[in-house]
Amino acid sequence: MSDNKVETELLSQIKEVLLKFPKYWEKDVLLRNKVAEDLRNYNQELIKALLSNKLVKDTYSITLDKITIFKIEDFISMLRYKNYWENSYTKYTNEIGLTSEGKYLNYNTDVVLDFPHKDGILEGGMTQEDLGKKEIFYHNVLAKEEIDTLLTPKTFKNTMKYDQYGKHYITSFTGKDNLIIKGNNLIALHSLKDKYAGKIKLIYIDPPYNTGNDSFKYNDRFSRSSWLTFMRNRLEFAFSLLSEDGSIFIQCDENQQAYLKVLCDEIFGEENFVNNISVKMSEPSGTKMAHVSKRFSKMKESILLYKKSDFVNYNPIKISKAEWDSEYNKFLLNFTRKDKDKIDELVNKISDGYIATEEDINCIDKIFEKVSLSSISNEFKKESNNTDYYNWLKENSYRIFRTAASSSVKRLADLKRKIKQNTIFSVLSARDGLLYLVIGDYSEASRSPRVQVLFAEDYLTTYLGDFWGDIPTTGLEAEGNVELKNGKKTEKLLKRIIEFSTNPNDIVLDFFMGSGTTQAVSMKMNRQFIGIEQMDYINTVTVPRLQKVIKGEQSGISKEVDWNGGGSFVYTELFSLNDEYIKEIQISKNEEDLEKVVSGMKEKAYLNFKVDLEKISSKNEGYNNLLLEEKKEVLIQVLDMNQLYLGYSEIEDEQYDISEGVKAFNHSFYQKEGVKDE
C-alpha cells in the first residue's frame, strides 16, 4: 500500500474515532483547537478512544518498559496542519496566502502573539458595546523582530485638557497631569513604559470576568486558556510599572478566581501574595434567589492583592462595628466630652513614650471626683425626643463604658482604693508604664474582678479584615451621575482600596477604567491617576462623569471627603491606522457594507505582504462562498497587525501629515527635543 493510501486510511480512522465525540464537531467541521486543548489536559476518555484504534496507536505512540506513551504533540501537529481537515474557510485562507508554508503557527522560528484583537478584550477590536457575541480568537503569526514594532510607543492624537474652564487642546504634558488614554490597553500600557516605569503606587483593575454577563458587553466569554493569556500579557507588563512599594488589586468573580490566583502567583511570586479579599457585591434578593434549592445565592466577588516587594507598608483601616456590644451598658453622669478628650490626650502621650507624673494622675482623678453612675436604659428614657436608639448610643459612647476582669489591674487598684474614695480612679503600671481606669466597687475577695473601665467610644471600631461585607450594594445606580446598574463599582469600594494602599499625590492606574470610578475617587482623594479604555462609551459616559467631578458633583464619597470640585485631566487617543478598518469591518451588517470596507482597504490600509489581495473580491469564488462572519475574519487577518496604531518613531513621516500641535504634545510626553518632566 502506498504512503498516501496509508495516510488517507489513518486520517479516516482518526475521523471515525473523533466522530464519537459530538462536542468536537460543528456540523461537519472539526473543532481542532478543542481536541488539542483536551489532549493537553490529558482527557482520559479521548486518549483511551484514540489508543483503542490499532493504526492510531501504532502511529502516535511508543512503548517503554511495557508502558504506552501517546505522542500528543505529534498528533496535535497533524490535526493542525493536514489539509484533510480543512473547510472552505481554511482552504480560502491558504489560497490567498494567510498561512506560512502551509502551517498556521510555526512554533520553531516565529512567536505567536494572540493580540490585539482577541487580546484587546473585544472581538476583533470591537469598540462599541452592542457588538459582543461569541468569541473569535484571531491567531496572528509575528516574527520575533515584528513584536518589538507592535509594542513600541505609539503616537497620541485628539489630545485635550479638561479643567474648571472646560476643555481645550494642549501641546505639552507634565508628569503631574492626570491622564486618560482611549485605545487598546495592552498597547497603551507599553506606551507608558518610559515615563511611568517604577512610579505607579497602586494598580486596580476590574477586568471582564469571562462569564458573558458583563454590563459593558465586553467580549468576556473566552475559553479559559484564552482569558488567561489575555490577562497574563497585561499583568506581566503592568507589574513592571509598579513602584517598589506598590500594590495591585485585581477584582474577579468565582468563574476564574482560582485560575487567576495561580497565574498571579507565577507572575508576581507567591511570596508577594497578600490577601484574597471577599467583597459583598449584592443582596439576597431578586432573580438570584430563583436557584436557592440548587445552590447558595451568589453575593460576593474576590479581590486578589499582591505587593511589589517587602518595602510595602499599608495604612490600616478601622471600620464601625455592625452592632452595639450590649456589655457597654453603664453611663457616666457629669462627664463631658472635654473630660474624655483630656484623658485620651494623656493616654496617647503615654503610648508614645511619655512618662506620666503624679500631677497627671491627680488631674485624671479629679475629673472622676464629680461623676456618678447610671445605666444606658435609664438615660435613654430621659431623651423623650430621641427615637433612634443606636445613634443615641454612638453619640454618647464617650461616656458609656463596661468593666473587664484583670488580676494585674486589681493588684494596682487594691493599694490605691484604701486611700482614694472615688467610684472611678486611675492607676499607673510601673511594669508597662500604661494608665488604667478602674472602678472601685469590686469585691476584694475576688481574684480577678471586673475592675478595668473600657469606654465604648474606644471600641466602636475594629480593624478591617479580608471580608468586606459593610459596603452598601443597593441604591448606587446613579452614583457619579452614570446610569449603569451593574457595570460599575461603588466609590466607597475604591476609596477603601486607595486609602489603604496609597497616600496623597501617589499615582493610581486602572487600565480597564470602564465608567471611571477609580479615576473619580482618585481625583476626590487627591491622588494622581491614569486610566485606559478602548470602548467608545469613554466619551459618552466616562469623560462626562469626570467633568462633573471637576465641577463638584456630590454623589459617592464626595461628602465623606469634603469634595467641592477642582482638578483636571488630559484626554488623548492612540493614533489609529488599521484599527479604524477593524472597527468598520465589525460594524458591517451585510455584504454591501463589507465591500465598501474592502475598497477602502485596497486604497489606504496597511496589508499583510503575504496576501494575494486580488482574490479578496466578490468576483472570487472562494471568497464568495464564505459566510459574512468568515469574510470579516479574513479581512482582519489581511491587515498588518503592526500597523494598528501609528508608532511614535514614525511621527515625522510626511505621509501621515501630522500637525505640529500633535507632534509637540508627543515630543513633550516622550521627553524628546529637550522637553523635561515637571
Side-chain angles (χ1 to χ4, degrees):
M1 188 180 293
S2 69
D3 290 343
N4 286 339
K5 287 184 178 181
V6 172
E7 181 179 67
T8 303
E9 177 62 22
L10 172 64
L11 295 175
S12 177
Q13 291 193 31
I14 291 173
K15 182 176 182 179
E16 186 177 333
V17 173
L18 294 177
L19 282 171
K20 297 175 182 177
F21 298 85
K23 67 177 181 177
Y24 297 138
W25 297 87
E26 190 170 291
K27 295 182 179 179
D28 60 341
V29 177
L30 176 65
L31 303 177
R32 288 178 282 180
N33 285 341
K34 193 167 185 60
V35 176
E37 185 176 345
D38 277 2
L39 286 173
R40 289 196 175 109
N41 289 329
Y42 300 104
N43 183 299
Q44 293 186 26
E45 185 182 7
L46 173 60
I47 293 174
K48 193 173 182 180
L50 288 168
L51 291 178
S52 66
N53 181 287
K54 186 177 185 305
L55 184 54
V56 175
K57 182 178 179 180
D58 290 344
T59 308
Y60 290 104
S61 73
I62 59 174
T63 302
L64 296 174
D65 295 329
K66 299 182 180 180
I67 297 174
T68 300
I69 300 174
F70 186 30
K71 297 188 285 187
I72 290 176
E73 290 303 325
D74 288 355
F75 188 88
I76 291 173
S77 181
M78 174 276 301
L79 285 180
R80 198 182 290 278
Y81 304 137
K82 286 295 180 184
N83 290 341
Y84 177 87
W85 303 103
E86 289 183 343
N87 55 25
S88 60
Y89 172 76
T90 53
K91 286 180 181 178
Y92 177 71
T93 55
N94 279 334
E95 180 185 343
I96 64 172
L98 274 176
T99 57
S100 175
E101 299 176 358
K103 297 184 178 182
Y104 286 100
L105 304 174
N106 185 328
Y107 289 97
N108 296 320
T109 60
D110 293 339
V111 174
V112 180
L113 212 58
D114 296 320
F115 63 80
H117 303 306
K118 162 72 191 81
D119 215 25
I121 307 171
L122 310 172
E123 181 180 16
M126 182 180 74
T127 59
Q128 296 183 13
E129 61 180 326
D130 58 347
L131 295 176
K133 47 186 179 296
K134 290 177 65 177
E135 173 190 17
I136 294 178
F137 197 163
Y138 297 112
H139 297 278
N140 294 283
V141 179
L142 299 176
K144 292 181 179 69
E145 62 271 16
E146 293 177 301
I147 295 174
D148 290 337
T149 303
L150 184 68
L151 299 180
T152 55
K154 297 296 181 272
T155 299
F156 297 108
K157 68 172 184 177
N158 295 336
T159 305
M160 59 190 71
K161 189 166 189 174
Y162 291 80
D163 55 27
Q164 58 185 322
Y165 304 109
K167 64 178 181 179
H168 44 92
Y169 288 97
I170 58 172
T171 57
S172 63
F173 184 84
T174 77
K176 301 299 182 183
D177 282 321
N178 293 316
L179 176 65
I180 290 177
I181 301 174
K182 183 179 188 296
N184 178 284
N185 60 3
L186 181 62
I187 294 176
L189 281 171
H190 281 269
S191 293
L192 300 177
K193 180 179 179 180
D194 290 343
K195 196 170 195 68
Y196 292 101
K199 295 181 180 180
I200 308 296
K201 186 67 174 291
L202 164 66
I203 296 174
Y204 166 83
I205 56 172
D206 178 29
Y209 292 169
N210 199 22
T211 62
N213 295 322
D214 193 282
S215 292
F216 286 134
K217 296 185 181 178
Y218 282 111
N219 180 29
D220 65 340
R221 190 177 286 281
F222 304 147
S223 68
R224 178 164 291 122
S225 59
S226 301
W227 188 83
L228 290 172
T229 299
F230 157 79
M231 291 300 297
R232 183 188 190 103
N233 289 337
R234 284 155 177 74
L235 293 175
E236 280 185 328
F237 186 77
F239 199 59
S240 70
L241 297 177
L242 282 175
S243 61
E244 285 302 303
D245 59 347
S247 301
I248 182 168
F249 291 71
I250 311 168
Q251 187 151 350
C252 62
D253 71 0
E254 61 194 9
N255 290 282
Q256 300 292 355
Q257 183 274 330
Y259 303 94
L260 181 61
K261 170 67 166 62
V262 174
L263 176 66
C264 289
D265 283 346
E266 182 182 341
I267 295 173
F268 309 143
E270 290 183 60
E271 69 279 6
N272 289 322
F273 171 70
V274 180
N275 283 112
N276 180 5
I277 303 162
S278 292
V279 185
K280 180 183 176 184
M281 296 300 296
S282 63
E283 301 298 326
S285 61
T287 56
K288 66 174 66 65
M289 306 310 292
H291 305 288
V292 292
S293 63
K294 303 292 184 183
R295 60 178 181 269
F296 293 114
S297 58
K298 180 182 177 296
M299 294 187 292
K300 66 168 176 45
E301 290 183 359
S302 295
I303 300 178
L304 296 177
L305 166 57
Y306 285 81
K307 62 184 179 179
K308 181 68 175 286
S309 71
D310 288 336
F311 292 102
V312 178
N313 285 304
Y314 297 114
N315 305 315
I317 295 175
K318 280 192 168 185
I319 60 172
S320 297
K321 291 182 177 178
E323 298 178 353
W324 182 267
D325 186 340
S326 60
E327 288 201 29
Y328 289 94
N329 54 19
K330 297 177 175 62
F331 194 95
L332 287 176
L333 298 171
N334 301 319
F335 186 79
T336 66
R337 174 78 259 177
K338 187 176 179 181
D339 293 333
K340 180 63 166 58
D341 290 343
K342 183 72 175 176
I343 295 170
D344 289 344
E345 181 183 358
L346 179 59
V347 170
N348 291 334
K349 283 173 63 177
I350 292 174
S351 67
D352 289 337
Y354 173 75
I355 300 175
T357 65
E358 190 67 28
E359 183 180 353
D360 294 325
I361 302 301
N362 291 336
C363 179
I364 300 301
D365 288 344
K366 191 170 184 60
I367 290 174
F368 287 105
E369 286 179 358
K370 60 184 175 62
V371 304
S372 58
L373 302 183
S374 182
S375 68
I376 58 175
S377 57
N378 286 338
E379 297 308 310
F380 181 70
K381 289 176 183 177
K382 297 176 184 179
E383 303 283 341
S384 57
N385 296 326
N386 196 320
T387 57
D388 190 332
Y389 182 54
Y390 186 64
N391 280 341
W392 179 85
L393 289 172
K394 288 197 295 183
E395 289 170 3
N396 289 278
S397 60
Y398 71 91
R399 50 182 174 172
I400 296 174
F401 71 98
R402 57 167 285 197
T403 54
S406 174
S407 57
S408 59
V409 174
K410 174 187 178 292
R411 287 193 292 271
L412 295 171
D414 285 344
L415 298 173
K416 189 165 183 177
R417 188 170 67 156
K418 295 175 181 178
I419 60 174
K420 198 71 178 177
Q421 300 304 311
N422 285 12
T423 302
I424 296 176
F425 53 86
S426 62
V427 294
L428 188 67
S429 170
R431 179 172 59 85
D432 56 23
L434 298 180
L435 182 75
Y436 297 95
L437 299 178
V438 298
I439 189 164
D441 62 351
Y442 60 89
S443 170
E444 193 166 345
S446 175
R447 290 188 175 182
S448 185
R450 297 177 67 88
V451 61
Q452 185 177 352
V453 172
L454 302 175
F455 285 99
E457 180 180 68
D458 301 328
Y459 297 92
L460 283 175
T461 59
T462 184
Y463 281 109
L464 182 66
D466 63 359
F467 174 68
W468 297 357
D470 61 312
I471 297 176
T473 61
T474 58
L476 305 170
E477 291 84 354
E479 186 175 84
N481 296 306
V482 177
E483 294 290 345
L484 285 168
K485 187 174 182 180
N486 299 312
K488 62 186 178 192
K489 297 298 181 279
T490 170
E491 289 193 8
K492 286 186 179 293
L493 174 62
L494 269 300
K495 176 182 180 293
R496 177 168 293 178
I497 291 171
I498 291 171
E499 181 181 2
F500 180 72
S501 57
T502 69
N503 297 306
N505 301 315
D506 284 338
I507 305 177
V508 178
L509 167 64
D510 182 348
F511 50 89
F512 292 96
M513 68 180 292
S515 68
T517 302
T518 303
Q519 289 68 35
V521 174
S522 295
M523 193 180 295
K524 293 177 183 180
M525 295 182 68
N526 191 28
R527 269 66 168 179
Q528 185 179 343
F529 64 78
I530 302 171
I532 305 172
E533 180 58 64
Q534 77 178 52
M535 296 287 276
D536 286 340
Y537 59 67
I538 190 174
N539 288 309
T540 58
V541 173
T542 316
V543 168
R545 176 181 187 174
L546 296 178
Q547 286 180 277
K548 291 168 186 172
V549 173
I550 291 173
K551 293 178 182 178
E553 64 88 12
Q554 290 298 296
S555 68
I557 66 166
S558 292
K559 292 182 174 62
E560 188 178 346
V561 300
D562 194 27
W563 177 252
N564 295 304
S568 64
F569 63 91
V570 172
Y571 169 90
T572 192
E573 300 175 359
L574 295 180
F575 197 117
S576 295
L577 295 177
N578 280 348
D579 184 62
E580 293 297 327
Y581 291 104
I582 291 175
K583 296 175 188 176
E584 291 181 23
I585 291 168
Q586 287 301 319
I587 63 174
S588 296
K589 294 184 174 143
N590 50 51
E591 305 283 348
E592 185 179 349
D593 290 345
L594 211 55
E595 198 62 34
K596 292 178 182 176
V597 179
V598 172
S599 298
M601 287 172 57
K602 288 180 177 179
E603 287 185 22
K604 295 183 179 180
Y606 299 87
L607 305 177
N608 187 323
F609 70 92
K610 300 176 184 176
V611 175
D612 183 352
L613 199 59
E614 295 305 314
K615 293 184 179 180
I616 300 177
S617 166
S618 57
K619 297 177 183 178
N620 181 273
E621 182 180 356
Y623 181 80
N624 222 19
N625 288 335
L626 299 180
L627 300 173
L628 179 64
E629 292 305 315
E630 290 177 332
K631 290 177 179 177
K632 289 183 178 182
E633 291 181 45
V634 167
L635 291 178
I636 287 176
Q637 291 187 71
V638 163
L639 294 166
D640 183 350
M641 295 301 103
N642 279 299
Q643 297 294 334
L644 286 175
Y645 300 100
L646 178 64
Y648 172 64
S649 62
E650 300 175 88
I651 197 170
E652 299 294 344
D653 193 323
E654 293 183 0
Q655 69 170 309
Y656 300 113
D657 193 25
I658 308 298
S659 71
E660 291 304 315
V662 169
K663 290 180 183 178
F665 175 82
N666 281 271
H667 292 328
S668 174
F669 185 88
Y670 290 115
Q671 304 282 297
K672 304 299 180 183
E673 297 189 352
V675 178
K676 295 186 180 296
D677 199 1
E678 295 181 12

